[in-house]
Amino acid sequence: MEIKKAAMAGTLESSDAQVTVEPGDGQIELSIESSVIHQFGKQIRAVVLETLGRLDVESAKVTVVDKGALDCTLKARVECAVYRSNGVTENLPWGGVIK
């Protein structure tokens, strides 16, 4: 799926994450900010990249500001931001693409 325009999902509240996606230049450029980056940075990165892979996103600039979100929350935020970037608002396959 192509990232057509900048989009954001999530909040900066505790136990959430704010994910921003923007059109990329042929690769995935991932930036993560988290107070638990040293403990969970590898897992956050893996979850975000896996989710983008399942959505067939190959080119994007992705920024994650994590406030202690669980993996399922990260997946939902990434999925929502990607759909928003494409203007998809109806017949969303929630849970169907992301496993």
Side-chain angles (χ1 to χ4, degrees):
M1 188 177 298
E2 180 184 351
I3 303 299
K4 295 182 179 177
K5 62 180 180 180
M8 184 183 342
T11 69
L12 296 175
E13 298 293 322
S14 181
S15 300
D16 201 354
Q18 187 177 70
V19 176
T20 305
V21 296
E22 300 174 71
D25 57 0
Q27 61 185 1
I28 301 293
E29 184 181 327
L30 178 57
S31 171
I32 301 171
E33 179 185 320
S34 175
S35 59
V36 293
I37 193 85
H38 297 295
Q39 294 97 330
F40 299 107
K42 288 181 184 178
Q43 179 65 17
I44 295 167
R45 181 177 183 77
V47 168
V48 172
L49 292 175
E50 178 186 346
T51 305
L52 292 169
R54 289 182 187 268
L55 293 168
D56 294 323
V57 175
E58 297 175 352
S59 176
K61 183 185 288 187
V62 181
T63 304
V64 177
V65 181
D66 172 61
K67 297 294 183 179
L70 297 174
D71 288 359
C72 58
T73 303
L74 286 169
K75 289 178 184 179
R77 298 306 187 212
V78 171
E79 187 176 21
C80 183
V82 170
Y83 287 141
R84 284 180 178 171
S85 79
N86 282 275
V88 178
T89 59
E90 296 181 8
N91 300 319
L92 296 166
W94 295 123
V97 175
I98 307 302
K99 298 189 190 252

